[in-house]
Amino acid sequence: MTKPIRVLNLFTIMNRGGAETMVMNYYRSIDRSKVQFDFMVHREEKGAYDDEIEELGGKIYRMPSVRPWSSSNYRKTVRDFYHEHPEYNIIHSHMSELGYYDFVEAKKEGVKNRISHAHNRPYGIDIKSPMRWYYKKRMRPYVTHMMICGEEAGIWLFGKENKDKFTMLNNAIDSSKYIFDESKRLRVRKSLGIDPQQLVIGHVGRFDVQKNHSFIIDIFNAVLKRNPQAVLTLIGDDSVSLGQKIHEKADTLGISSQVKFLGVRNDVNELMQAMDVFLFPSLFEGLSVASIEAQASGLPVIISDQIPLECKKTDLVEVVSLKSPVEKWADTLISASEIPRQNMFESIKKSGFDINENAKNLQNFYLSISK
């Protein structure tokens, strides 16, 4: 029996972030007798998906963190790795510009296919910006395939001049798991201690400045002035520093009893059943998996004007400017929450974001370049 080709995916850590969840959706759906995923991660601690990866037959290799100021040690470590593992003819980096060192060393060791995947499109300038600009430009000559979740993310990482080289890979989901079911809605609400008639606003995202949690709290505070019984559910690891600050902000505003911090969950599809409207006021995004999941659940989705409209796969998405007052956001949320829930399976499938066909396409892509 022919062994499957092995694709090495590069990540920081396999926790439940957008890119990680998207790759796991594909991993579960590909024919693993033909294509098997392995993972190179850059944290010692265990990731949320590590057990499942190993159950599916994947290997996990742990490398030191990528530190530009100590790059010589990292480069030697990965050079030795690629020398010792000639079985990898395809590496697929999900680390943005930090994939640079791996691409350089992999090329030296004869790794033929070096895929860089653009998952995000940062905006603004911060202390990391000069480094990011420097490494993404240096990385491009070592990349053999430029994969994107959306055009804006691709232009940011690879440059507009390389648009004709982009390969689109949709942030696909198993939309059958998100079909709205009233009985599930009631069951999940009961488990969360939420009454059937309460307004529930939901958000899924890591506690990071990008996701704009502080503004989410401000918006929800304005919602409560209109609907004092409303509930906010926040899904993501709130144990981090920013999470604790958001806890404190809710306490200071006196609304913490109506903000449910649900932590990292593996049942987001179930939790979305309990929501009435999905709030997503990010400062920037590539193409959010969570926004696709919410639409698949039949949820109205209110996004900021800094999120690419490529995420609008149904008529359920409405855009509000980040410059708009919180009252505008609150009114929009309350109005949108009155939209009846419906089965969106066929709509998501027609939009090209159901996982089954996408997994076949990715599998065929890997098989074609491995020859």
Side-chain angles (χ1 to χ4, degrees):
M1 183 176 177
T2 304
K3 291 184 178 179
I5 64 167
R6 304 195 77 93
V7 176
L8 185 66
N9 287 275
L10 277 56
F11 276 100
T12 300
I13 183 171
M14 284 304 294
N15 280 336
R16 296 184 188 279
E20 294 83 355
T21 297
M22 183 273 286
V23 168
M24 291 303 295
N25 286 339
Y26 277 93
Y27 190 17
R28 298 179 191 112
S29 301
I30 61 171
D31 183 345
R32 292 185 296 280
S33 70
K34 295 180 178 178
V35 177
Q36 177 59 254
F37 283 4
D38 295 326
F39 294 80
M40 178 188 285
V41 298
H42 297 79
R43 292 287 185 274
E44 284 299 320
E45 62 266 30
K46 187 176 181 178
Y49 285 124
D50 285 10
D51 286 344
E52 184 180 1
I53 288 169
E54 292 178 337
E55 288 171 4
L56 293 173
K59 301 173 184 177
I60 301 172
Y61 303 97
R62 300 191 186 280
M63 296 288 151
S65 297
V66 185
R67 309 287 188 192
W69 52 88
S70 60
S71 61
S72 59
N73 177 60
Y74 179 77
R75 291 177 72 157
K76 183 181 185 307
T77 302
V78 296
R79 186 186 315 133
D80 290 345
F81 174 87
Y82 291 119
H83 182 75
E84 295 165 6
H85 291 274
E87 68 269 27
Y88 293 112
N89 189 34
I90 304 173
I91 62 172
H92 191 153
S93 172
H94 307 271
M95 298 178 64
S96 194
E97 74 284 350
L98 289 180
Y100 163 71
Y101 297 115
D102 272 271
F103 290 134
V104 171
E105 302 308 324
K107 182 178 181 180
K108 289 178 183 177
E109 293 300 325
V111 178
K112 178 183 173 184
N113 299 289
R114 302 175 299 278
I115 306 166
S116 181
H117 201 136
H119 288 283
N120 224 330
R121 51 143 207 183
Y123 275 109
I125 298 174
D126 59 25
I127 194 170
K128 295 182 179 180
S129 295
M131 180 200 74
R132 301 192 79 176
W133 280 92
Y134 175 76
Y135 282 106
K136 71 179 184 179
K137 289 185 176 180
R138 290 196 67 181
M139 178 185 75
R140 292 170 188 168
Y142 296 94
V143 173
T144 59
H145 300 85
M146 299 178 176
M147 197 163 279
I148 65 172
C149 70
E151 188 173 280
E152 292 184 32
I155 289 172
W156 183 86
L157 187 59
F158 305 124
K160 188 178 291 187
E161 67 277 13
N162 287 310
K163 279 179 65 175
D164 62 336
K165 300 177 184 177
F166 293 173
T167 298
M168 176 71 76
L169 184 67
N170 290 332
N171 286 356
I173 63 170
D174 184 351
S175 52
S176 65
K177 293 182 177 180
Y178 293 85
I179 296 171
F180 179 66
D181 184 316
E182 181 65 31
S183 63
K184 284 184 181 179
R185 170 187 172 82
L186 294 174
R187 175 175 55 78
V188 176
R189 282 192 169 220
K190 184 177 181 180
S191 72
L192 296 173
I194 300 172
D195 290 339
Q197 303 306 315
Q198 285 182 279
L199 167 63
V200 179
I201 297 166
H203 178 268
V204 179
R206 69 187 185 282
F207 280 77
D208 182 273
V209 172
Q210 171 191 350
K211 303 299 183 180
N212 215 1
H213 282 87
S214 182
F215 190 49
I216 290 173
I217 294 295
D218 289 335
I219 294 168
F220 181 61
N221 194 36
V223 168
L224 287 174
K225 291 177 169 57
R226 294 153 172 76
N227 185 336
Q229 300 305 312
V231 175
L232 174 65
T233 59
L234 297 176
I235 302 170
D237 183 5
D238 56 307
S239 67
V240 299
S241 176
L242 181 58
Q244 295 308 301
K245 289 179 181 177
I246 298 304
H247 272 278
E248 292 168 5
K249 181 167 184 172
D251 288 339
T252 299
L253 291 171
I255 63 174
S256 57
S257 64
Q258 286 165 274
V259 180
K260 293 185 179 291
F261 292 86
L262 301 182
V264 178
R265 302 289 292 249
N266 62 4
D267 59 346
V268 171
N269 58 316
E270 298 277 315
L271 293 170
M272 283 185 169
Q273 300 282 328
M275 301 174 187
D276 292 305
V277 61
F278 193 77
L279 175 59
F280 212 63
S282 297
L283 299 177
F284 58 88
E285 288 287 342
L287 198 150
S288 161
V289 174
S291 69
I292 304 298
E293 292 172 335
Q295 291 173 77
S297 296
L299 282 169
V301 180
I302 311 304
I303 66 172
S304 77
D305 57 346
Q306 296 305 307
I307 296 177
L309 277 177
E310 290 166 292
C311 80
K312 181 179 171 67
K313 301 304 170 187
T314 69
D315 292 333
L316 292 169
V317 176
E318 187 169 351
V319 181
V320 180
S321 171
L322 283 178
K323 295 179 181 178
S324 296
V326 291
E327 292 77 14
K328 166 69 172 175
W329 282 84
D331 290 341
T332 304
L333 284 167
I334 292 171
S335 177
S337 70
E338 297 173 358
I339 298 172
R341 295 285 282 274
Q342 50 190 306
N343 185 328
M344 301 301 294
F345 177 77
E346 289 300 328
S347 294
I348 297 299
K349 190 174 180 180
K350 287 178 181 177
S351 74
F353 274 74
D354 186 64
I355 192 62
N356 294 309
E357 195 63 32
N358 283 278
K360 291 177 186 174
N361 292 338
L362 180 61
Q363 177 179 302
N364 290 337
F365 170 78
Y366 285 142
L367 291 171
S368 68
I369 65 175
S370 69
K371 295 175 181 178

